[in-house]
Amino acid sequence: MPSITRRRPRNPDGRAAVEARVLAATERLLQEGIRFTDLGVQRIATEAGVARSTFYTHFRDKSELLMRLAGTMRESSFGRTGEWNPAGPGDPLAALTEIFADVIRIYRTYAPVLAAVSEVAAYDEVVREYWAAGLEQFVARTVQVLRAEQQAGRTPAGIDPVTASRLIVIGGDRFLADHVSATSADPDTDASAARELAATWWYGVYRRPDNA
């Protein structure tokens, strides 16, 4: 997959400010309901208050722009979930439920970006692989946690950590994207979604007993 890393700019503060304006402008336009495919570079540049040529000095193309937007969302949500420790103090299920509530808020905030990723990934291999690579990193971390739980005797040895991790990570990502989509975007259901996700992890994959 092509790298989106660039050489260090001579004026990093100024460059970052321009890129932030372009990213924010794109988010605004997506929030207005404009499909990413229909969103031209000139429209983005105008919304950001920069020249079209300036856009191309900061972003290789629209795909790179979308990956930058998606990366911010991905780092926030995956980072929050990565904070959970199934062997931590207190009530791990309650902690996981709270984390998923935060993740749902992040997904809801970035719902237009998620829709754009789904739209573009259908025809752009770079975007598709970029999002998949992020999920695979989270799968790998979950595999490590599950294996540690098995070694500690808290999760049955018969569970396949790789299959189970792919089920809850990839399946969870698709559920969350659908949950915050325009067709099922009722925020009143967020709390129950967080509870059900946490219960699926805790009782379904980690196989913790229900002591209620």
Side-chain angles (χ1 to χ4, degrees):
M1 182 183 72
S3 171
I4 61 173
T5 303
R6 293 175 178 269
R7 291 179 297 178
R8 181 175 298 175
R10 295 180 180 179
N11 182 10
D13 292 337
R15 183 181 186 90
V18 171
E19 291 179 357
R21 284 164 58 190
V22 173
L23 291 168
T26 306
E27 283 193 68
R28 286 196 300 272
L29 292 168
L30 291 174
Q31 289 282 358
E32 292 174 5
I34 302 174
R35 294 176 67 248
F36 190 77
T37 303
D38 298 332
L39 192 55
V41 169
Q42 184 60 60
R43 177 74 183 277
I44 295 171
T46 300
E47 180 74 14
V50 301
R52 178 186 174 91
S53 58
T54 300
F55 174 95
Y56 285 110
T57 64
H58 293 266
F59 301 93
R60 183 176 59 248
D61 51 27
K62 282 176 55 184
S63 292
E64 181 179 337
L65 170 64
L66 180 57
M67 288 187 287
R68 289 280 298 280
L69 285 170
T72 301
M73 174 263 172
R74 187 176 69 184
E75 290 168 10
S76 299
S77 59
F78 291 0
R80 186 71 179 94
T81 310
E83 296 171 5
W84 181 63
N85 179 3
D91 184 344
L93 177 57
L96 185 58
T97 301
E98 181 180 348
I99 285 173
F100 274 128
D102 289 342
V103 170
I104 289 172
R105 282 192 285 271
I106 294 169
Y107 267 68
R108 191 171 290 288
T109 299
Y110 284 90
V113 175
L114 283 167
V117 169
S118 178
E119 173 191 346
V120 176
Y123 60 83
D124 189 322
E125 183 179 2
V126 172
V127 172
R128 182 168 61 252
E129 290 184 354
Y130 174 78
W131 188 255
L135 289 175
E136 290 299 334
Q137 290 177 1
F138 191 32
V139 167
R141 182 196 177 279
T142 307
V143 168
Q144 291 179 343
V145 175
L146 269 175
R147 284 176 173 161
E149 290 296 290
Q150 286 179 317
Q151 291 171 2
R154 291 185 291 265
T155 294
I159 291 176
D160 180 346
V162 175
T163 301
S165 296
R166 293 185 65 80
L167 171 66
I168 58 177
V169 172
I170 298 176
D173 173 71
R174 292 178 180 174
F175 166 75
L176 288 168
D178 177 75
H179 178 73
V180 302
S181 70
T183 57
S184 55
D186 183 2
D188 291 340
T189 64
D190 288 356
S192 62
R195 287 195 302 270
E196 292 303 325
L197 272 172
T200 298
W201 279 49
W202 190 241
Y203 299 123
V205 172
Y206 285 84
R207 301 295 204 276
R208 292 304 202 268
D210 185 356
N211 297 321

